[in-house]
Amino acid sequence: MKPADYASGEAAAGRHRRAELVFARGGGRSALIRQVSPYPFHTTRPFALDRARPDLATLYLQSASGGIYRGDVLDLALTVKDGAAAHVTSQAATVVHDTGAARARQTTEMTVGAGAFGALTLDPLILFPGAELAAKTTLRLGEGALAILADGVAWHDFAGQDRPFRSLTAKVAVHGPDGRLLVLDRSTVDGADLIGPSSLLGAGMAAYGSAMLLGPAEMLPSADALEQALESVGCRAGASPLPNGAGIGVRMLAANGGRIATGVETIFNLGVEAMLGFAPARRRK
C-alpha cells in the first residue's frame, strides 16, 4: 500500500515504514532468505523450536519503539514460499498511543505458497485513551496451503478514569489459489461503546480476539474443540465455518489482554496439532 492511499496529511504526520520477511525451504529447513526491518521493526533470528518438525521456523517480530504513535503507517509483507513452514509471532503486546488528529495505520500482506504452512499470531494491541487505528490484512493462499491468523485487542486508561480509545477499524481479506476472494471480514468499533456497564461486550469483558484457521476441514481442529479449549483458559469463545470452505473462524472475549494472549497461543497449538500432526513447543516470551 502506498502513502497516496491514505487521507491527506495522515501518513505525513508519523513514520511510514515497511518490513519484509521471506521464508523458503532448503536443506530440510525453512530459512529466512530476505529480511528488511527498518525502525521501529526488529526481528530475531529464526528458531527451530520443534523436534518433530525442525523445518518449521519461528521468528519473533519486535518493536524497537514504545509502540504505535500519531500518524504512523506500518506495513509488513510476509511471504512463505512453496513447501516452507514459518511461524511469525510478537514478543509482547503493542501499545497504541493517543493518535490525536492523525490516526495510525497498520497493513499486513501475507502470502503462503503451494503446500506451505504459515502462521501469524500476535499478542494483543493495547489501545490507550484517544488511540485510533486502522488495520488491514490481506492473505493469499497457494494450492494446498495451510495458514493461521490470530490476534487480539485490549484497552487501558493509565489514569484510571475509564477514558476510551477513539476507534479501531479492521479488515481481513483471504484469497484462494486462483485469486478469488474467499473471506472478507470487516469491523469498526468505538472505544466509548466498550466502557462501563453498557459495554457491547458485556460486564467484565475488557478484551477481545479473533482468529482464522485456513485449510481443508479434515486438516483443522473442530469448532467444538476450539471452543472448549478456549473456555478452559478463560476466554468466552465461538467458532464456526468460514465462507467458501476456507476454514474456521473464531471470536473470543475475555476479562483482559493476558487471557486473550493465552487464547491466541491455544488456537496456534490446536491448529498446528491438526494441520501438521504434532504438539508444538511453547513459544516463550
Side-chain angles (χ1 to χ4, degrees), residues 16-107:
H16 186 186
R17 301 290 187 269
R18 178 181 174 86
E20 297 181 30
L21 302 171
V22 180
F23 292 87
R25 186 178 177 87
R29 293 183 178 256
S30 297
L32 182 63
I33 63 168
R34 176 172 171 79
Q35 174 182 323
V36 179
S37 301
Y39 180 87
F41 293 100
H42 177 73
T43 58
T44 64
R45 64 177 178 85
F47 296 97
L49 299 177
D50 304 289
R51 292 183 179 180
R53 287 291 301 266
D55 61 312
L56 173 57
T58 297
L59 183 143
Y60 291 88
L61 184 63
Q62 303 169 314
S63 173
S65 68
I68 299 175
Y69 295 89
R70 179 176 188 254
D72 278 354
V73 179
L74 303 177
D75 302 337
L76 171 65
L78 170 61
T79 300
V80 184
K81 289 186 171 291
D82 295 357
H87 174 211
V88 174
T89 188
S90 51
Q91 184 187 33
T94 299
V95 171
V96 185
H97 296 270
D98 185 344
T99 52
R103 67 175 171 175
R105 295 185 181 251
Q106 184 172 269
T107 68

Side-chain angles (χ1 to χ4, degrees), residues 215-228:
E218 63 272 17
M219 299 191 70
L220 302 178
S222 70
D224 286 345
L226 286 163
E227 290 176 358
Q228 291 173 13

Side-chain angles (χ1 to χ4, degrees), residues 193-219:
D193 292 332
L194 304 181
I195 299 295
S198 61
S199 168
L200 296 176
L201 302 184
M205 297 297 170
Y208 65 87
S210 63
M212 293 184 185
L213 297 91
L214 301 152
E218 63 272 17
M219 299 191 70

Side-chain angles (χ1 to χ4, degrees), residues 4 11 15-16 26 40 48 53 79 95 108-109 114 122 125 170-171 191 202 209 229 239 244 256-257 259 279:
R15 304 165 294 188
H16 186 186
R53 287 291 301 266
T79 300
V95 171
T108 302
E109 298 174 1
L122 303 176
L125 295 168
K171 176 182 176 181
N244 300 303
N256 54 59
R259 290 188 178 180

